[in-house]
Amino acid sequence: MGAVIVLALTGVAAFNTLVYIGLHYTTSINASLMNSSTPIIIYILSFIFLKEHLTKFQLLGTFLSLAGVLFIISGGSLQSLLSFSFNKGDLIVVVAVVCWSVYSLLIKKYAGKLPGYSTFLVTIAFGAIMLLPFAVYEQLTSSQAIVWNASTIVAIIYVGIIASIVAFLSWNTGVVSLGANKAGIYLNFIPLFATIFAVLFLNEQLLLAQVIGGIAVIAGVFISAIK
């Protein structure tokens, strides 16, 4: 039961909530690039909690990817690094990535001990219960009214079904089949699609710091995968 509660807290409640909050303060491109550092965080957590030894390639990849993340959230500014004046949205997304990494490790660890779909259903239920007080508080205190129209309904359906249920089940199945480390490599497709969609639909501009940092993050992940 304890493992299921932690899964609900890290994967359902914390990760989604932190990402959505972080996107109020940073760009979707930044968020997606930092999400690509998930495999590196998984390596680090595996080393700390599971006592798995890191290879020289994993150490090199970890350093390179973390450097890329710092480059992205600092905008390539040394002054930002020295003064620690980062965009708070970027930092919130980093915390979300750590939560997702913990969730992925637990999914793999308990894959053979807990029934997949039943565990997922209970996890979703626990996660919804955890978020309920915050939802009620937001409704009571927020002055921003919900505008109900076709776009709003479609967005809610997409987030509630495709981006949540379908995405979670797909990810859980992939992690169980491949392992958290190997499955994490496929997260490198996130910045590719997110950048394309952000430029096309949100009119976001792709900055040089994002390109350089993103390349470093992705290169670090692939170097970490070398045997």
Side-chain angles (χ1 to χ4, degrees):
M1 182 60 72
V4 175
I5 292 175
V6 177
L7 285 170
L9 176 62
T10 56
V12 178
F15 174 73
N16 285 314
T17 303
L18 291 172
V19 167
Y20 294 146
I21 292 175
L23 285 171
H24 282 282
Y25 306 101
T26 189
T27 66
S28 56
I29 294 176
N30 265 26
S32 65
L33 288 172
M34 286 184 290
N35 203 34
S36 292
S37 66
T38 301
I40 299 301
I41 305 300
I42 290 175
Y43 287 141
I44 295 173
L45 294 178
S46 297
F47 172 75
I48 296 174
F49 296 106
L50 302 183
K51 308 303 179 183
E52 294 183 1
H53 294 290
L54 297 178
T55 67
K56 60 181 180 180
F57 291 112
Q58 289 174 329
L59 288 171
L60 177 60
T62 296
F63 175 79
L64 185 58
S65 285
L66 292 180
V69 170
L70 286 176
F71 199 83
I72 293 169
I73 65 179
S74 67
S77 169
L78 179 61
Q79 183 61 37
S80 294
L81 286 174
L82 295 177
S83 62
F84 203 74
S85 58
F86 301 149
N87 181 312
K88 66 179 179 179
D90 292 335
L91 298 180
I92 292 172
V93 173
V94 169
V95 176
V97 169
V98 173
C99 290
W100 187 251
S101 300
V102 172
Y103 174 83
S104 299
L105 277 180
L106 290 176
I107 284 293
K108 179 58 180 178
K109 181 178 180 179
Y110 291 97
K113 303 176 183 178
L114 297 173
Y117 294 118
S118 300
T119 301
F120 175 68
L121 177 61
V122 175
T123 300
I124 291 291
F126 281 176
I129 293 172
M130 292 175 185
L131 291 173
L132 182 59
F134 298 99
V136 172
Y137 174 79
E138 186 177 45
Q139 287 297 312
L140 294 176
T141 60
S142 177
S143 59
Q144 185 175 2
I146 300 177
V147 180
W148 292 103
N149 53 38
S151 298
T152 303
I153 295 173
V154 170
I156 291 175
I157 292 175
Y158 175 81
V159 171
I161 298 178
I162 306 299
S164 295
I165 297 176
V166 175
F168 268 87
L169 286 176
S170 299
W171 176 255
N172 291 356
T173 303
V175 168
V176 172
S177 300
L178 300 176
N181 291 343
K182 290 184 179 179
I185 295 176
Y186 289 88
L187 292 174
N188 291 314
F189 286 109
I190 292 178
L192 172 63
F193 290 113
T195 300
I196 293 173
F197 294 152
V199 172
L200 290 178
F201 301 115
L202 302 179
N203 296 319
E204 290 186 8
Q205 292 184 338
L206 184 61
L207 304 178
L208 181 60
Q210 294 170 327
V211 175
I212 296 175
I215 291 174
V217 170
I218 295 172
V221 172
F222 278 104
I223 289 175
S224 299
I226 297 176
K227 301 297 184 181

